[in-house]
Amino acid sequence: MRVARYVGGGEVSIVDEPVPVCPPKGLLVQTEACGLCSGELMGWYMDRKIPHVLGHEVAGRIIESNDARFPVGSRVFPHHHAPCLKCQFCKAGHHVHCEQWKRTKLLPGGMAEIFSVPAENLNDTLLVDDLKPVDAALIEPLACVVKSLRVAGKSSGASSAPAVIGLGVMGLMHMLLLPNAVGYDVNDERVQWALTQGLDARTPDAFERSDTIFVCPGTQAAFEFALQMAKPGATLVMFAPLAPGEPLRIPSEAYFNDLRIVHSYSCGPDDTREAAEIIRELGLWAEQVVSHFIGIEELPEAYQAMKRGEIIKPMVVFA
């Protein structure tokens, strides 16, 4: 079977690998759709994972099952990390710090024609027969946004429109869940894409001050732009990490303005369930945030184009 393997240095290759076996008490899934995550573009993060098969924004049909809850033929969304639901972190709602969450993964990865879902991952696997494959594949990234909004405390009585810095796919998803938000990006094509979705998108020279700001790029420059627009008492949500060796520099003004700086990393089972319901109830669909639906052989080129900021997001659709 074909898989998309990150081989290092920002390069992706399509290679052949044996079909995985169905794990004990787990599932074997034929992939229908898999999105490319913006996090998979970070070379410093990916190079330490080599060899690595891409893909965790995925949906597919079960072709073999060792769990009666998940019948053969059903469409599933499996999260690539799943918590134990029993440890102190899980009980506190901090699923991403659970040891099981950290060690679990899909095999060999979602960007493959067939992948396996170990039994531990079934703690965060959803039946999604009622969703299109391309929409179900959005559950994981949308769940990360659901957590981001929860961390921000979006219902805390903000007096101004939320601001979203960075209008890549994750920034777009923030805005789609916050219809009164104002989004900013230095990339004119991203601004134009957001405008076609009916969103309030602007270049940074036309910013308004806000008391809730979502910082989607993992850069010091994006953080400093957030500081410029932050009202006293504002909450700044850091949605992505800076690279190792690039510590976030926080000026003293943040202290004197009572700024609340919080981080939002990945998501847990509660977030994925809410994301699935949002897709069902609000009608959020893949075409709003995916610019290119492609075959797996086209992924290496699309990977580079997304990294250069030339396209919003590719999603591989498997025949």
Side-chain angles (χ1 to χ4, degrees):
M1 69 171 184
R2 295 172 300 170
V3 306
R5 180 175 291 284
Y6 180 81
V7 295
E11 298 294 329
V12 174
S13 295
I14 307 303
V15 298
D16 289 322
E17 285 198 0
V19 174
V21 299
C22 187
K25 300 183 180 179
L27 311 175
L28 195 63
V29 178
Q30 185 164 10
T31 313
E32 294 180 298
C34 187
L36 178 64
C37 172
S38 53
E40 293 174 314
L41 305 177
M42 299 188 299
W44 62 266
Y45 179 69
M46 296 301 295
D47 284 345
R48 66 190 188 188
K49 290 176 171 281
I50 299 170
H52 178 73
V53 173
L54 297 174
H56 53 261
E57 304 176 0
V58 65
R61 289 282 184 188
I62 299 172
I63 55 177
E64 189 174 342
S65 173
N66 286 320
D67 189 309
R69 296 173 299 169
F70 299 94
V72 170
S74 300
R75 177 171 295 137
V76 288
F77 152 77
H79 198 294
H80 57 305
H81 298 306
C84 70
L85 305 179
K86 299 176 183 177
C87 70
Q88 60 175 336
F89 294 114
C90 287
K91 290 177 180 178
H94 302 310
H95 299 105
V96 300
H97 303 294
C98 168
E99 289 302 319
Q100 176 175 302
W101 190 95
K102 295 176 182 179
R103 72 169 180 264
T104 44
K105 59 183 178 179
L106 306 177
L107 300 172
M111 202 70 79
E113 292 179 309
I114 295 172
F115 63 90
S116 68
V117 184
E120 288 181 326
N121 287 74
L122 298 183
N123 279 349
D124 199 359
T125 295
L126 306 177
L127 292 168
V128 289
D129 285 307
D130 55 325
L131 299 180
K132 294 189 301 182
V134 293
D135 295 339
L138 291 180
I139 291 174
E140 191 274 342
L142 186 62
C144 294
V145 176
V146 167
K147 178 180 175 180
S148 176
L149 269 58
R150 174 167 50 81
V151 167
K154 67 180 189 300
S155 60
S156 60
S159 61
S160 59
V164 178
I165 298 175
L167 295 176
V169 61
M170 303 310 292
L172 288 171
M173 284 189 169
H174 275 85
M175 294 195 69
L176 289 167
L177 297 194
L178 294 166
N180 64 328
V182 181
Y184 302 90
D185 204 298
V186 296
N187 185 320
D188 287 335
E189 292 185 8
R190 289 182 175 181
V191 171
Q192 290 303 314
W193 179 279
L195 289 171
T196 64
Q197 303 304 316
L199 303 172
D200 187 347
R202 311 174 187 179
T203 53
D205 56 328
F207 74 85
E208 297 178 2
R209 301 193 75 192
S210 177
D211 48 22
T212 307
I213 305 167
F214 299 90
V215 187
C216 294
T219 66
Q220 181 69 28
F223 174 68
E224 290 177 359
F225 179 44
L227 291 176
Q228 290 182 50
M229 68 169 66
K231 290 182 176 181
T235 294
L236 282 62
V237 180
M238 304 302 294
F239 189 72
L242 276 66
E246 297 180 13
L248 186 66
R249 299 186 300 277
I250 302 174
S252 59
E253 288 84 354
Y255 172 83
F256 289 109
N257 284 319
D258 277 326
L259 300 185
R260 176 174 174 254
I261 302 168
V262 297
H263 296 76
S264 184
Y265 167 47
S266 193
C267 58
D270 296 341
D271 305 310
T272 55
R273 286 193 295 270
E274 184 173 344
E277 289 308 308
I278 288 171
I279 293 172
R280 290 184 175 104
E281 296 175 8
L282 299 185
L284 189 149
W285 59 91
E287 288 78 6
Q288 292 174 285
V289 296
V290 177
S291 57
H292 291 70
F293 296 94
I294 61 175
I296 192 170
E297 297 294 343
E298 301 171 88
L299 183 63
E301 181 178 348
Y303 184 94
Q304 299 301 328
M306 185 179 177
K307 193 169 186 176
R308 292 190 298 265
E310 297 172 356
I311 64 177
I312 299 292
K313 181 183 182 70
M315 180 177 286
V316 174
V317 178
F318 293 79

